[in-house]
Coordinates of all heavy atoms in Angstrom, one line a residue:
M1 N 0.8 -1.2 0.0 CA 0.0 0.0 0.0 C 0.9 1.3 0.0 O 0.6 2.2 -0.7 CB -0.9 0.0 1.2 CG -1.7 1.2 1.4 SD -3.1 1.2 0.3 CE -3.9 2.7 0.8
R2 N 1.9 1.3 0.9 CA 2.7 2.4 1.0 C 3.5 2.7 -0.3 O 3.7 3.8 -0.8 CB 3.7 2.3 2.1 CG 4.6 3.5 2.3 CD 5.4 3.3 3.6 NE 4.6 3.5 4.7 CZ 5.0 3.5 6.0 NH1 6.2 3.2 6.2 NH2 4.1 3.7 7.0
D3 N 4.0 1.6 -0.9 CA 4.8 1.8 -2.2 C 3.8 2.3 -3.3 O 4.3 3.1 -4.1 CB 5.4 0.5 -2.6 CG 6.5 0.0 -1.7 OD1 7.1 0.9 -1.0 OD2 6.7 -1.2 -1.5
T4 N 2.6 1.8 -3.3 CA 1.7 2.3 -4.4 C 1.3 3.8 -4.2 O 1.3 4.5 -5.1 CB 0.4 1.5 -4.3 OG1 0.7 0.2 -3.8 CG2 -0.3 1.4 -5.6
L5 N 1.1 4.2 -2.9 CA 0.8 5.6 -2.7 C 2.0 6.5 -3.0 O 1.8 7.5 -3.5 CB 0.3 5.7 -1.2 CG -0.1 7.1 -0.8 CD1 -1.2 7.6 -1.6 CD2 -0.4 7.2 0.7
G6 N 3.2 6.0 -2.6 CA 4.4 6.8 -2.9 C 4.6 6.9 -4.4 O 5.0 8.0 -4.9
A7 N 4.4 5.9 -5.1 CA 4.5 5.9 -6.6 C 3.5 6.9 -7.2 O 3.8 7.6 -8.1 CB 4.4 4.6 -7.2
F8 N 2.3 6.9 -6.6 CA 1.2 7.7 -7.1 C 1.6 9.2 -6.9 O 1.4 10.0 -7.8 CB -0.1 7.4 -6.4 CG -1.3 8.3 -6.8 CD1 -1.8 8.3 -8.1 CD2 -1.7 9.2 -5.9 CE1 -2.9 9.1 -8.4 CE2 -2.8 10.1 -6.2 CZ -3.3 10.0 -7.5
V9 N 2.0 9.5 -5.7 CA 2.4 10.9 -5.4 C 3.6 11.3 -6.2 O 3.7 12.5 -6.7 CB 2.7 11.0 -3.9 CG1 3.3 12.4 -3.5 CG2 1.4 10.8 -3.1
S10 N 4.6 10.5 -6.4 CA 5.7 10.8 -7.2 C 5.3 11.1 -8.7 O 5.8 12.0 -9.3 CB 6.7 9.7 -7.2 OG 7.3 9.5 -5.9
G11 N 4.3 10.3 -9.2 CA 3.8 10.5 -10.5 C 3.1 11.9 -10.6 O 3.3 12.6 -11.6
L12 N 2.3 12.2 -9.6 CA 1.7 13.5 -9.6 C 2.7 14.7 -9.6 O 2.5 15.7 -10.2 CB 0.7 13.6 -8.4 CG -0.5 12.8 -8.5 CD1 -1.3 13.0 -7.2 CD2 -1.4 13.1 -9.7
R13 N 3.8 14.5 -8.8 CA 4.8 15.5 -8.7 C 5.5 15.7 -10.0 O 5.9 16.8 -10.4 CB 5.8 15.1 -7.6 CG 6.8 16.2 -7.4 CD 7.7 15.9 -6.2 NE 6.9 16.0 -5.0 CZ 7.2 15.4 -3.8 NH1 8.3 14.7 -3.7 NH2 6.4 15.5 -2.8
R14 N 5.8 14.6 -10.8 CA 6.4 14.7 -12.1 C 5.5 15.4 -13.1 O 6.0 16.0 -14.0 CB 6.7 13.3 -12.6 CG 8.0 12.7 -12.0 CD 8.4 11.5 -12.7 NE 7.4 10.4 -12.8 CZ 7.2 9.5 -11.9 NH1 8.0 9.4 -10.8 NH2 6.3 8.6 -12.0
K15 N 4.2 15.3 -12.9 CA 3.2 15.9 -13.8 C 2.8 17.3 -13.3 O 1.8 17.8 -13.8 CB 2.0 15.0 -14.0 CG 2.4 13.7 -14.6 CD 1.2 12.8 -14.7 CE 1.5 11.5 -15.3 NZ 0.4 10.6 -15.3
S16 N 3.5 17.9 -12.4 CA 3.0 19.2 -11.8 C 2.9 20.3 -12.8 O 2.0 21.1 -12.8 CB 3.8 19.6 -10.6 OG 5.1 19.9 -11.1
G17 N 3.8 20.3 -13.8 CA 3.7 21.3 -14.8 C 2.5 21.2 -15.7 O 1.8 22.2 -16.0
L18 N 2.1 20.0 -16.0 CA 0.8 19.7 -16.7 C -0.4 20.2 -15.9 O -1.3 20.8 -16.5 CB 0.7 18.2 -17.0 CG -0.6 17.8 -17.7 CD1 -0.7 18.4 -19.1 CD2 -0.7 16.3 -17.7
F19 N -0.4 19.9 -14.6 CA -1.5 20.3 -13.8 C -1.6 21.8 -13.7 O -2.7 22.4 -13.7 CB -1.4 19.7 -12.4 CG -1.7 18.2 -12.4 CD1 -0.8 17.4 -11.7 CD2 -2.8 17.7 -13.0 CE1 -1.1 16.0 -11.7 CE2 -3.1 16.3 -13.0 CZ -2.2 15.5 -12.3
K20 N -0.5 22.5 -13.6 CA -0.5 23.9 -13.5 C -1.0 24.5 -14.8 O -1.8 25.4 -14.8 CB 0.9 24.4 -13.2 CG 1.0 25.9 -13.0 CD 2.4 26.5 -12.9 CE 3.3 25.7 -12.0 NZ 4.7 26.3 -11.9
W21 N -0.6 23.9 -15.9 CA -1.0 24.4 -17.3 C -2.5 24.2 -17.4 O -3.2 25.1 -17.8 CB -0.3 23.7 -18.3 CG -0.6 24.1 -19.7 CD1 -0.1 25.2 -20.4 CD2 -1.5 23.5 -20.6 NE1 -0.6 25.3 -21.6 CE2 -1.5 24.3 -21.8 CE3 -2.3 22.4 -20.5 CZ2 -2.3 23.9 -22.9 CZ3 -3.1 22.1 -21.6 CH2 -3.1 22.8 -22.8
L22 N -3.0 23.0 -17.0 CA -4.5 22.8 -17.1 C -5.3 23.7 -16.2 O -6.4 24.2 -16.5 CB -4.8 21.3 -16.7 CG -4.4 20.3 -17.7 CD1 -4.6 18.9 -17.2 CD2 -5.2 20.5 -19.0
F23 N -4.7 24.0 -15.0 CA -5.4 24.9 -14.1 C -5.5 26.3 -14.7 O -6.6 26.9 -14.7 CB -4.6 25.0 -12.8 CG -5.1 25.9 -11.8 CD1 -6.3 25.7 -11.1 CD2 -4.4 27.1 -11.5 CE1 -6.8 26.6 -10.2 CE2 -4.9 28.0 -10.6 CZ -6.1 27.7 -9.9
F24 N -4.5 26.8 -15.3 CA -4.5 28.2 -15.8 C -5.4 28.2 -17.1 O -6.1 29.2 -17.3 CB -3.1 28.7 -16.2 CG -2.4 29.1 -14.9 CD1 -1.2 28.5 -14.6 CD2 -2.9 30.1 -14.1 CE1 -0.5 28.9 -13.5 CE2 -2.2 30.4 -12.9 CZ -1.0 29.9 -12.6
V25 N -5.4 27.2 -17.9 CA -6.3 27.1 -19.1 C -7.7 27.1 -18.6 O -8.6 27.8 -19.2 CB -5.9 25.9 -19.9 CG1 -7.0 25.6 -21.0 CG2 -4.6 26.1 -20.6
T26 N -8.0 26.4 -17.6 CA -9.4 26.3 -17.0 C -9.8 27.7 -16.5 O -11.0 28.1 -16.8 CB -9.5 25.3 -15.9 OG1 -9.1 24.0 -16.4 CG2 -10.9 25.2 -15.4
L27 N -8.9 28.4 -15.8 CA -9.3 29.7 -15.3 C -9.5 30.7 -16.5 O -10.4 31.5 -16.4 CB -8.2 30.2 -14.4 CG -8.1 29.6 -13.0 CD1 -6.9 30.1 -12.3 CD2 -9.3 29.8 -12.2
A28 N -8.7 30.6 -17.5 CA -8.8 31.5 -18.6 C -10.1 31.2 -19.4 O -10.8 32.1 -19.8 CB -7.6 31.4 -19.6
L29 N -10.5 29.9 -19.5 CA -11.7 29.5 -20.1 C -12.9 30.1 -19.3 O -13.9 30.6 -19.9 CB -11.8 28.0 -20.2 CG -13.1 27.5 -20.9 CD1 -13.2 27.9 -22.3 CD2 -13.1 26.0 -20.8
L30 N -12.9 30.0 -18.0 CA -14.0 30.5 -17.2 C -14.1 32.0 -17.3 O -15.2 32.6 -17.4 CB -13.8 30.1 -15.7 CG -14.0 28.6 -15.4 CD1 -13.6 28.3 -14.0 CD2 -15.4 28.2 -15.7
V31 N -13.0 32.7 -17.4 CA -13.1 34.2 -17.6 C -13.6 34.5 -18.9 O -14.4 35.4 -19.1 CB -11.7 34.9 -17.3 CG1 -11.7 36.3 -17.7 CG2 -11.3 34.7 -15.9
A32 N -13.2 33.8 -20.0 CA -13.7 34.0 -21.3 C -15.2 33.7 -21.4 O -16.0 34.4 -22.1 CB -12.9 33.1 -22.3
L33 N -15.6 32.6 -20.7 CA -17.1 32.4 -20.7 C -17.9 33.4 -19.9 O -19.0 33.7 -20.3 CB -17.3 31.0 -20.0 CG -17.1 29.8 -20.8 CD1 -17.3 28.5 -20.0 CD2 -18.1 29.7 -22.0
N34 N -17.2 34.1 -19.0 CA -17.9 35.2 -18.3 C -18.2 36.4 -19.2 O -19.1 37.2 -19.0 CB -17.0 35.6 -17.1 CG -17.8 36.6 -16.2 OD1 -17.2 37.6 -15.9 ND2 -19.0 36.2 -15.8
I35 N -17.4 36.5 -20.3 CA -17.6 37.6 -21.3 C -18.9 37.3 -22.1 O -19.7 38.1 -22.3 CB -16.4 37.7 -22.2 CG1 -15.2 38.2 -21.4 CG2 -16.7 38.7 -23.4 CD1 -13.9 38.2 -22.2
I36 N -19.1 36.0 -22.4 CA -20.3 35.6 -23.1 C -21.5 35.4 -22.3 O -22.6 35.9 -22.6 CB -20.0 34.2 -23.9 CG1 -18.8 34.4 -24.8 CG2 -21.2 33.7 -24.6 CD1 -18.3 33.1 -25.3
L37 N -21.4 34.7 -21.2 CA -22.5 34.5 -20.2 C -22.5 35.6 -19.2 O -21.7 35.6 -18.3 CB -22.4 33.1 -19.6 CG -22.3 31.9 -20.5 CD1 -22.0 30.7 -19.8 CD2 -23.6 31.8 -21.3
R38 N -23.4 36.5 -19.3 CA -23.5 37.7 -18.4 C -24.5 37.4 -17.3 O -25.5 36.7 -17.5 CB -24.0 38.9 -19.2 CG -23.2 39.2 -20.4 CD -21.8 39.5 -20.1 NE -21.8 40.8 -19.5 CZ -20.8 41.6 -19.4 NH1 -19.6 41.2 -19.9 NH2 -20.9 42.8 -18.8
P39 N -24.3 37.9 -16.1 CA -25.3 37.7 -15.0 C -26.6 38.5 -15.4 O -26.5 39.6 -15.9 CB -24.6 38.3 -13.8 CG -23.5 39.2 -14.3 CD -23.1 38.7 -15.6
H40 N -27.7 37.9 -15.1 CA -29.0 38.5 -15.4 C -29.3 39.7 -14.4 O -29.8 40.7 -14.9 CB -30.1 37.5 -15.3 CG -30.0 36.4 -16.3 ND1 -30.3 36.7 -17.6 CD2 -29.7 35.1 -16.3 CE1 -30.1 35.6 -18.4 NE2 -29.7 34.6 -17.5
H41 N -29.0 39.5 -13.2 CA -29.3 40.5 -12.2 C -28.1 40.7 -11.3 O -28.1 40.1 -10.2 CB -30.5 40.1 -11.3 CG -31.7 39.8 -12.1 ND1 -32.4 40.8 -12.8 CD2 -32.4 38.7 -12.5 CE1 -33.5 40.3 -13.4 NE2 -33.4 39.0 -13.3
P42 N -27.1 41.5 -11.7 CA -25.9 41.7 -10.8 C -26.3 42.4 -9.6 O -27.2 43.4 -9.6 CB -25.0 42.5 -11.7 CG -25.8 43.0 -12.8 CD -27.0 42.2 -13.0
H43 N -25.8 42.1 -8.5 CA -26.1 42.7 -7.2 C -25.4 44.1 -7.1 O -26.0 45.0 -6.5 CB -25.6 41.8 -6.0 CG -26.3 40.5 -6.0 ND1 -27.6 40.4 -5.5 CD2 -26.0 39.3 -6.4 CE1 -28.0 39.1 -5.7 NE2 -27.0 38.4 -6.2
V44 N -24.2 44.2 -7.6 CA -23.5 45.5 -7.7 C -23.1 45.8 -9.1 O -23.1 44.8 -9.9 CB -22.3 45.5 -6.7 CG1 -22.7 45.4 -5.3 CG2 -21.3 44.4 -7.1
D45 N -22.8 47.0 -9.4 CA -22.5 47.3 -10.8 C -21.2 46.7 -11.3 O -21.1 46.3 -12.4 CB -22.3 48.9 -11.0 CG -23.7 49.6 -10.8 OD1 -24.7 49.0 -11.0 OD2 -23.7 50.8 -10.4
A46 N -20.2 46.5 -10.4 CA -19.0 45.9 -10.8 C -19.1 44.4 -11.2 O -18.3 43.9 -11.9 CB -18.0 46.0 -9.6
E47 N -20.1 43.8 -10.7 CA -20.4 42.4 -11.0 C -20.7 42.1 -12.4 O -20.5 41.1 -13.0 CB -21.5 41.8 -10.1 CG -21.6 40.4 -10.1 CD -22.7 39.9 -9.1 OE1 -23.3 40.7 -8.4 OE2 -23.0 38.7 -9.1
A48 N -21.1 43.2 -13.1 CA -21.5 43.0 -14.5 C -20.2 43.1 -15.4 O -20.3 42.7 -16.6 CB -22.4 44.1 -15.0
L49 N -19.1 43.5 -14.9 CA -17.8 43.5 -15.6 C -17.3 42.1 -15.9 O -17.3 41.3 -15.0 CB -16.8 44.3 -14.9 CG -17.1 45.8 -14.7 CD1 -16.0 46.4 -13.8 CD2 -17.2 46.5 -16.0
P50 N -16.8 41.8 -17.1 CA -16.2 40.5 -17.3 C -15.0 40.3 -16.5 O -14.1 41.1 -16.4 CB -15.9 40.5 -18.8 CG -16.4 41.8 -19.4 CD -16.8 42.7 -18.2
G51 N -14.9 39.1 -15.9 CA -13.8 38.7 -15.0 C -13.7 39.4 -13.7 O -12.7 39.3 -13.0
F52 N -14.8 40.0 -13.2 CA -14.9 40.6 -11.9 C -14.6 39.6 -10.8 O -13.8 39.9 -9.9 CB -16.2 41.3 -11.7 CG -16.4 41.7 -10.3 CD1 -15.8 42.9 -9.8 CD2 -17.3 41.0 -9.4 CE1 -15.9 43.3 -8.5 CE2 -17.4 41.4 -8.1 CZ -16.8 42.6 -7.6
W53 N -15.2 38.5 -10.8 CA -15.1 37.5 -9.7 C -13.7 36.9 -9.7 O -13.1 36.6 -8.7 CB -16.2 36.5 -9.8 CG -17.5 37.0 -9.4 CD1 -18.6 37.2 -10.1 CD2 -17.8 37.5 -8.1 NE1 -19.6 37.8 -9.4 CE2 -19.1 38.0 -8.1 CE3 -17.1 37.7 -6.9 CZ2 -19.8 38.6 -7.0 CZ3 -17.8 38.2 -5.8 CH2 -19.1 38.7 -5.9
A54 N -13.1 36.8 -10.9 CA -11.7 36.3 -11.0 C -10.7 37.3 -10.3 O -9.9 36.9 -9.5 CB -11.3 36.0 -12.4
V55 N -10.9 38.5 -10.7 CA -10.0 39.6 -10.1 C -10.3 39.7 -8.6 O -9.4 39.9 -7.8 CB -10.2 40.9 -10.8 CG1 -9.4 42.0 -10.1 CG2 -9.8 40.8 -12.3
F56 N -11.6 39.7 -8.2 CA -11.9 39.8 -6.8 C -11.3 38.7 -6.0 O -10.8 38.9 -4.9 CB -13.5 39.7 -6.7 CG -14.0 39.9 -5.3 CD1 -14.1 41.1 -4.7 CD2 -14.5 38.8 -4.7 CE1 -14.6 41.2 -3.4 CE2 -15.0 38.9 -3.4 CZ -15.1 40.1 -2.8
G57 N -11.4 37.4 -6.5 CA -10.8 36.3 -5.8 C -9.3 36.4 -5.7 O -8.7 36.1 -4.7
L58 N -8.7 36.8 -6.8 CA -7.2 37.0 -6.7 C -6.8 38.0 -5.7 O -5.9 37.8 -4.9 CB -6.7 37.3 -8.1 CG -5.2 37.6 -8.2 CD1 -4.4 36.3 -8.0 CD2 -4.8 38.2 -9.5
V59 N -7.4 39.2 -5.7 CA -7.1 40.2 -4.8 C -7.3 39.8 -3.3 O -6.4 40.0 -2.5 CB -7.9 41.5 -5.1 CG1 -7.7 42.5 -4.0 CG2 -7.4 42.1 -6.4
L60 N -8.4 39.1 -3.1 CA -8.7 38.7 -1.7 C -7.7 37.5 -1.3 O -7.3 37.5 -0.1 CB -10.1 38.2 -1.6 CG -11.1 39.3 -1.4 CD1 -12.5 38.8 -1.2 CD2 -10.7 40.3 -0.3
A61 N -7.4 36.6 -2.2 CA -6.4 35.6 -1.8 C -5.1 36.2 -1.5 O -4.4 35.7 -0.5 CB -6.3 34.6 -3.0
V62 N -4.6 37.1 -2.3 CA -3.3 37.7 -2.0 C -3.4 38.5 -0.7 O -2.4 38.5 0.2 CB -2.9 38.7 -3.1 CG1 -1.7 39.5 -2.8 CG2 -2.6 37.8 -4.4
A63 N -4.5 39.2 -0.4 CA -4.6 40.0 0.8 C -4.7 39.1 2.0 O -4.0 39.4 3.0 CB -5.9 40.8 0.7
M64 N -5.4 38.0 1.9 CA -5.4 37.0 3.0 C -4.0 36.4 3.3 O -3.7 36.2 4.4 CB -6.4 35.9 2.8 CG -7.9 36.4 3.0 SD -9.1 35.1 3.0 CE -8.6 34.0 1.8
A65 N -3.3 36.1 2.2 CA -2.0 35.5 2.4 C -1.0 36.5 3.1 O -0.3 36.1 4.0 CB -1.4 35.1 1.1
V66 N -1.1 37.7 2.7 CA -0.2 38.8 3.3 C -0.7 39.0 4.8 O 0.2 39.1 5.7 CB -0.3 40.1 2.5 CG1 0.4 41.2 3.3 CG2 0.4 39.9 1.2
L67 N -1.9 39.1 5.0 CA -2.4 39.3 6.4 C -2.1 38.1 7.3 O -1.6 38.3 8.4 CB -4.0 39.5 6.4 CG -4.6 39.7 7.7 CD1 -4.2 41.0 8.3 CD2 -6.1 39.6 7.6
M68 N -2.3 36.9 6.8 CA -2.0 35.7 7.6 C -0.5 35.6 7.9 O -0.1 35.1 8.9 CB -2.5 34.4 7.0 CG -4.1 34.4 7.0 SD -4.8 34.7 8.7 CE -4.2 33.4 9.6
K69 N 0.3 36.0 6.9 CA 1.8 35.9 7.1 C 2.1 36.9 8.2 O 3.0 36.6 9.1 CB 2.5 36.3 5.9 CG 4.0 36.3 6.0 CD 4.7 36.6 4.8 CE 6.2 36.6 5.0 NZ 7.0 37.1 3.9
G70 N 1.5 38.1 8.3 CA 1.8 39.0 9.3 C 1.3 38.6 10.7 O 1.9 38.9 11.7
I71 N 0.2 37.8 10.7 CA -0.3 37.3 12.0 C 0.4 36.0 12.5 O 0.8 35.9 13.6 CB -1.8 37.0 11.9 CG1 -2.6 38.3 11.7 CG2 -2.3 36.2 13.1 CD1 -4.0 38.1 11.4
V72 N 0.7 35.1 11.6 CA 1.2 33.8 11.9 C 2.7 33.8 12.1 O 3.3 33.1 12.9 CB 0.8 32.7 10.9 CG1 1.4 31.4 11.2 CG2 -0.8 32.6 11.0
A73 N 3.4 34.6 11.3 CA 4.9 34.6 11.3 C 5.5 34.9 12.7 O 6.4 34.2 13.1 CB 5.4 35.5 10.2
P74 N 5.0 35.9 13.4 CA 5.5 36.1 14.7 C 5.2 35.0 15.7 O 6.0 34.7 16.6 CB 4.8 37.4 15.2 CG 4.4 38.1 13.9 CD 4.1 37.0 13.0
L75 N 4.1 34.3 15.5 CA 3.8 33.2 16.4 C 4.7 32.0 16.2 O 5.0 31.3 17.1 CB 2.3 32.8 16.2 CG 1.3 33.8 16.5 CD1 -0.1 33.3 16.2 CD2 1.4 34.2 18.0
I76 N 5.1 31.7 14.9 CA 5.9 30.5 14.7 C 7.4 30.9 14.5 O 8.2 30.0 14.1 CB 5.4 29.7 13.5 CG1 5.5 30.6 12.2 CG2 4.0 29.2 13.8 CD1 5.1 29.8 11.0
G77 N 7.7 32.1 14.7 CA 9.1 32.6 14.5 C 10.0 32.4 15.7 O 11.0 33.1 15.8
F78 N 9.7 31.5 16.6 CA 10.6 31.2 17.7 C 11.8 30.5 17.3 O 11.9 29.9 16.3 CB 9.8 30.4 18.8 CG 8.6 31.1 19.3 CD1 7.3 30.5 19.1 CD2 8.7 32.2 20.0 CE1 6.2 31.1 19.5 CE2 7.5 32.8 20.5 CZ 6.3 32.3 20.3
S79 N 12.9 30.6 18.2 CA 14.1 29.9 17.9 C 13.9 28.4 18.1 O 13.0 28.0 18.8 CB 15.2 30.4 18.8 OG 14.9 30.2 20.1
E80 N 14.8 27.7 17.5 CA 14.6 26.2 17.5 C 14.9 25.6 18.9 O 14.4 24.6 19.2 CB 15.6 25.6 16.5 CG 15.3 25.9 15.1 CD 16.2 25.2 14.2 OE1 16.9 24.3 14.6 OE2 16.3 25.6 13.0
D81 N 15.6 26.3 19.8 CA 15.9 25.8 21.1 C 15.0 26.3 22.2 O 15.4 26.4 23.3 CB 17.4 26.0 21.4 CG 17.7 27.5 21.5 OD1 16.9 28.3 21.1 OD2 18.8 27.8 22.1
I82 N 13.8 26.7 21.8 CA 12.9 27.4 22.8 C 12.6 26.5 24.0 O 12.5 26.9 25.1 CB 11.7 27.9 22.1 CG1 10.9 28.8 23.1 CG2 10.8 26.8 21.6 CD1 9.8 29.6 22.5
Y83 N 12.5 25.2 23.7 CA 12.2 24.2 24.8 C 13.4 23.7 25.5 O 13.3 23.0 26.6 CB 11.3 23.1 24.3 CG 10.0 23.6 23.7 CD1 9.7 23.6 22.4 CD2 9.0 24.1 24.6 CE1 8.5 24.0 21.9 CE2 7.8 24.6 24.1 CZ 7.5 24.5 22.8 OH 6.4 25.0 22.3
D84 N 14.6 23.8 25.0 CA 15.8 23.3 25.5 C 16.6 24.3 26.2 O 17.8 24.1 26.6 CB 16.6 22.6 24.4 CG 15.9 21.4 23.8 OD1 15.1 20.8 24.5 OD2 16.2 21.1 22.6
R85 N 16.1 25.5 26.5 CA 16.9 26.6 27.1 C 17.3 26.3 28.6 O 18.3 26.7 29.1 CB 16.2 27.9 27.0 CG 16.1 28.5 25.7 CD 15.4 29.8 25.7 NE 15.2 30.2 24.3 CZ 14.4 31.2 24.0 NH1 13.7 31.8 24.9 NH2 14.3 31.5 22.7
D86 N 16.5 25.5 29.3 CA 16.7 25.2 30.7 C 17.9 24.2 30.9 O 18.5 24.2 31.9 CB 15.5 24.7 31.3 CG 14.3 25.7 31.3 OD1 14.6 26.9 31.2 OD2 13.2 25.3 31.4
Q87 N 18.2 23.5 29.9 CA 19.2 22.4 30.0 C 20.6 22.9 29.7 O 20.9 23.7 29.1 CB 18.8 21.2 29.1 CG 17.5 20.7 29.5 CD 17.1 19.6 28.6 OE1 17.7 19.3 27.6 NE2 15.9 18.9 28.8

C-alpha cells in the first residue's frame, strides 16, 4: 500500500507542470465564458464587468496571504531551542 501511494504521489509530482497548465487554461476559459455569459441580475455594478469575480478572488487571496503571514509569522518565528533553554 505504501509503495503504491508513494509511486502515485511521485507521478503527480512529475506531472505538476501539466496540472499547472491545465489549471490556468481552465481559469482563462472561465473568464472567457464570463464575457459571453453575463449575469442576469448583478447585485452590484462591478459584478457586470467581465472577469470581476476572478480579479476579486485573486485580490482577496493575496490579501489574506499577506495578512496571515503578518499574524502567523511572529507566532511561529521562535528559535529552535525554545524548549531546551533550561538544560
Side-chain angles (χ1 to χ4, degrees):
M1 174 78 177
R2 182 175 286 181
D3 293 332
T4 328
L5 182 60
F8 175 72
V9 171
S10 294
L12 290 178
R13 186 173 291 160
R14 283 192 301 271
K15 297 177 185 177
S16 66
L18 174 67
F19 288 129
K20 188 188 312 183
W21 184 80
L22 287 173
F23 177 71
F24 286 122
V25 166
T26 303
L27 288 177
L29 179 65
L30 289 173
V31 171
L33 280 173
N34 190 231
I35 294 171
I36 299 167
L37 302 173
R38 310 294 290 198
H40 293 289
H41 303 289
H43 298 283
V44 293
D45 292 335
E47 193 176 357
L49 297 172
F52 168 74
W53 288 112
V55 173
F56 181 78
L58 176 67
V59 168
L60 281 183
V62 169
M64 285 192 319
V66 169
L67 179 69
M68 290 311 295
K69 182 180 178 187
I71 292 173
V72 174
L75 296 176
I76 62 173
F78 298 115
S79 63
E80 292 180 18
D81 64 343
I82 190 169
Y83 296 112
D84 295 331
R85 287 185 188 163
D86 298 338
Q87 299 175 356

